Amino acid sequence: MLSQVVELIESKRRFAITSHLRPDGDGLGSSLGLYWLLRALDKEPEVIMHDPVPHAYQKLPGAQAVRVTDRIDREYDAVFVIECSDITRPGLIDLEKQFVVNIDHHSTSALFGSVNWIDPTASAVGEMIYNLCKAVGVRVTREIAECVYTALITDTGSFHYSNTSERTFKVASELVRAGVKPAKISQAVFSSYPWSKIELLGEVLATVKRDPSGRVAWMRQTIEMQEKAHAAEEDGDGFVNYPLTCDGVEAVAFLKESAPGVYRASLRSKGEINVARIAEKFGGGGHRNAAGCTLTGSWEEAEASVVSLLREAVERRNGERDDDKDAEDVILPADTEKRRPEARQS
Ligand code: 5GP
Ligand code: MN
C-alpha cells in the first residue's frame, strides 16, 4: 500500500524502475514520472526495460536515460515494477530475487511484490504516481507532469474511456498548471506515426468482419501484411479501436500474428461487456473494456475461439438488459400502463 511505498522511498537510496515488455504510454510515462520524483529526492533511480522506448515516447523527459537489458545486472535496494500483472511481464531475469515493489491499477494483478500498491480506481498508474508525489511532498515539476500526462491520455484514450473520472480531470488540470502543453504531447503520441502504419492499416481494415448481429467484429494482421507495408508488429497498436467507433459494435477482437501460428489478441468492448474475463481464459488479462492475451493454432481456430466467447458475452449482456426491462415492467404501477414500451420481440 501507499504508506509502505513512502516509507521505502524515504529509507532506501538505489532504485530500479521497470515495466512490461513493449512498454506503452502508462508503463513508460509512469516509470519516468517515478524516476523524476526519486531524482527530486536526491535518490539514485534507473529505468530499465527489456524493450527499447517506442518512437511515440522518445520525446518524454528522461527517455534517453532508459537502459535496455534483459536481466537485473546491478545492485539495487528495491525494484519498482509498474503496470505488470505478474513477475514475468517485465521479461527481466533474476527479478524474483529482488525486493520488488508492485505498483498497478489492474484488479487482475497478482500480489507478486514484497510491497504491493494496487489501486483499481486509478485511471492509469500515472494517477498513482501523481498521488505519490503528494504523499512524499515532491513538487510536480514539468518533467514529472509531462510523463504523468502521457500516462493519462494513453490509458484513458484521451479521456474517452470509462476509467476517466472526476479525479482524472483534476490531476490533468494540475499537470497543465505544472507546465504540460496538451497539444504538444498529443501530437508526439498520436500524430507522429511512421507512414508504414497507414499502409498496414489499409491491409488490416480490409479483413474486418462482423457477426450477423453486427455487435461483434474481428480482424487480423498477418506477418505477410507487415512485410508488405514495411511495418513492425507494434504499428498495429490502436487499430482495434476502429471497428468499435461504429454504432452497434459492442466488442472487437484484433489478432496480430507475432510468429507463425502465434497471435497477440487485443480485445475491446463498450459498456458492461467484460473482455478481461475472456482474456483470462487464455492466460491474459487487462481491464473490463480493454484486455489482451496470446492465442495459438490456425487463424481459423484462433479467431473462432475468441469470437465465440465475445458473441456469448454480448448475447448474455443483451439478455440481462432485457431482463432488466422486464423487472421494470413488474414494478410499474397500473396507471402508468400507457408509458410502457411497445411489446418487445425478445
Ligand atoms: P493491448 O490490447 O493494448 O495489448 O492491451 C490492452 C490491455 O490488456 C492492457 O491494459 C494490458 O495491460 C492488458 N494485457 C494485454 N496483454 C496482456 C497479457 O498477455 N496479460 C495480461 N495480464 N494483460 C494483458
Ligand atoms: Mn495502465
Side-chain angles (χ1 to χ4, degrees), residues 26 83 105-106 123-125 155 287:
D26 192 22
E83 246 224 328
H105 68 131
H106 293 83
S123 63
V125 175
D155 258 30
H287 305 275

Side-chain angles (χ1 to χ4, degrees), residues 59-310:
K59 288 187 191 138
L60 277 179
Q64 304 309 320
V66 173
R67 188 164 67 87
V68 175
T69 176
D70 64 357
R71 63 190 64 239
I72 301 288
D73 50 3
R74 292 184 186 164
E75 289 283 318
Y76 303 105
D77 296 326
V79 181
F80 290 98
V81 177
I82 305 288
E83 246 224 328
C84 290
S85 52
D86 64 69
I87 198 151
T88 66
R89 288 273 286 157
L92 295 178
I93 294 165
D94 289 342
L95 179 59
E96 68 286 350
K97 296 180 186 153
Q98 303 293 309
F99 188 94
V100 165
V101 183
N102 167 17
I103 304 185
D104 196 9
H105 68 131
H106 293 83
S107 53
T108 52
S109 184
L111 301 181
F112 58 83
S114 307
V115 169
N116 298 282
W117 178 28
I118 314 292
D119 181 1
T121 70
S123 63
V125 175
E127 210 174 288
M128 300 169 71
I129 299 299
Y130 175 88
N131 292 338
L132 185 58
C133 278
K134 300 287 155 187
V136 294
V138 163
R139 183 178 69 86
V140 179
T141 59
R142 185 186 53 82
E143 285 85 3
I144 295 175
E146 288 190 353
C147 295
V148 169
Y149 189 84
T150 299
L152 293 192
I153 58 168
T154 51
D155 258 30
T156 63
S158 301
F159 311 109
H160 287 192
Y161 303 153
S162 58
N163 57 349
T164 309
S165 68
E166 186 203 354
R167 205 173 68 196
T168 317
F169 284 114
K170 227 174 228 162
V171 172
S173 159
E174 286 298 317
L175 299 174
V176 174
R177 193 198 299 262
V180 164
K181 300 269 182 279
K184 185 186 114 181
I185 300 215
S186 294
Q187 185 175 330
V189 176
F190 300 119
S191 306
S192 302
Y193 297 135
W195 184 253
S196 55
K197 189 169 175 114
I198 288 291
E199 303 239 329
L200 185 63
L201 178 63
E203 299 282 329
V204 167
L205 280 183
T207 72
V208 72
K209 293 197 173 65
R210 275 190 311 171
D211 78 333
S213 76
R215 288 166 166 160
V216 177
W218 61 98
M219 55 189 193
R220 54 170 83 164
Q221 173 180 312
T222 65
I223 291 175
E224 203 182 330
M225 291 173 192
Q226 265 171 243
E227 286 169 356
K228 192 171 163 207
H230 302 288
E233 187 196 330
E234 57 263 32
D235 284 338
D237 288 353
F239 290 179
V240 63
N241 295 309
Y242 283 96
L244 211 60
T245 59
C246 293
D247 192 23
V249 176
E250 296 181 29
V252 181
F254 174 40
L255 272 59
K256 285 183 276 187
E257 188 181 21
S258 55
V262 182
Y263 316 93
R264 286 285 311 147
S266 284
L267 310 180
R268 296 291 186 273
S269 64
K270 286 176 184 158
E272 301 288 323
I273 294 154
N274 191 331
V275 288
R277 294 284 100 81
I278 294 171
E280 279 169 29
K281 291 199 172 130
F282 298 100
H287 305 275
R288 185 183 68 183
N289 297 131
C293 57
T294 300
L295 304 169
T296 53
S298 69
W299 271 110
E300 287 68 29
E301 285 162 353
E303 279 176 346
S305 61
V306 75
V307 168
S308 67
L309 289 177
L310 287 177

Side-chain angles (χ1 to χ4, degrees), residues 39-55:
R39 288 269 306 254
L41 291 168
D42 280 330
K43 305 287 174 177
E44 291 173 33
E46 185 179 39
V47 179
I48 56 173
M49 298 278 173
H50 180 276
D51 293 319
V53 176
H55 181 259

